[in-house]
Amino acid sequence: MKNKKSVWVIGLIVGFVLSMIGMMLGIEHGGSMRSIYGVFLFGGSILDSLSINRISRISYEREFPDLVEKEKIEYRDERNAAIRNRAKAKSADIIQWCILFMAALIFLVSDCPIWIVFVLVGLYFLKSGIEWYYTNKYQKEM
């Protein structure tokens, strides 16, 4: 069932129908059913994009089976796995600082209780502590 193109074509059709239902509800009812038509529109869009992606991937796998096998081997390679893990770690560091900055900015602008800010700072320190623990643990293992 993984490579069945017909399942994904049906998913594409269902996604299109859900999107159309969402748009029609939005046009007819305006703001009264906003969350319902939003769910239909969002669900249909996600299903459409997922189906298009899988259909194109299945076509690619059928057309170039030797390249697909080469991609699988490269994906399992230790060096590539280490590169992916390093990229994930770097992106997590950047996202962490962006989230902390945005949360601080939002709480400074709005009149939120100070304990919310302290909880966020505490979560940040907890994340840093867990990161420090695992860094030391992995250094001892390697």
Side-chain angles (χ1 to χ4, degrees):
M1 183 157 163
K2 182 179 176 185
N3 287 333
K4 294 265 184 179
K5 200 180 234 186
S6 61
V7 172
W8 295 108
V9 170
I10 292 170
L12 185 65
I13 294 168
V14 169
F16 181 74
V17 169
L18 285 176
S19 296
M20 288 297 112
I21 290 171
M23 283 194 283
M24 294 308 290
L25 285 175
I27 292 170
E28 291 177 15
H29 298 289
S32 64
M33 298 182 71
R34 185 175 187 159
S35 61
I36 294 173
Y37 78 79
V39 168
F40 277 109
L41 190 59
F42 181 74
S45 299
I46 294 295
L47 190 56
D48 280 341
S49 61
L50 178 67
S51 298
I52 289 170
N53 184 6
R54 286 303 305 154
I55 289 169
S56 65
R57 183 64 189 185
I58 290 169
S59 298
Y60 176 79
E61 287 175 355
R62 286 185 181 159
E63 191 172 342
F64 305 107
D66 51 336
L67 292 177
V68 171
E69 189 62 33
K70 184 179 176 184
E71 285 176 1
K72 287 180 184 178
I73 292 170
E74 287 180 6
Y75 185 79
R76 293 183 200 130
D77 183 38
E78 281 185 37
R79 180 178 176 271
N80 291 331
I83 290 170
R84 279 192 310 275
N85 287 336
R86 189 172 180 185
K88 286 179 191 177
K90 185 55 92 174
S91 66
D93 287 341
I94 293 169
I95 293 292
Q96 162 190 320
W97 286 106
C98 290
I99 289 173
L100 184 64
F101 175 74
M102 291 303 296
L105 187 64
I106 289 170
F107 290 128
L108 285 174
V109 172
S110 66
D111 282 335
C112 277
I114 195 71
W115 67 270
I116 295 176
V117 176
F118 288 140
V119 167
L120 286 174
V121 171
L123 287 173
Y124 171 75
F125 284 128
L126 177 66
K127 187 255 180 216
S128 297
I130 292 171
E131 184 179 324
W132 175 81
Y133 169 77
Y134 278 108
T135 300
N136 288 334
K137 179 182 175 184
Y138 293 147
Q139 281 180 346
K140 290 177 184 176
E141 287 178 4
M142 294 181 169

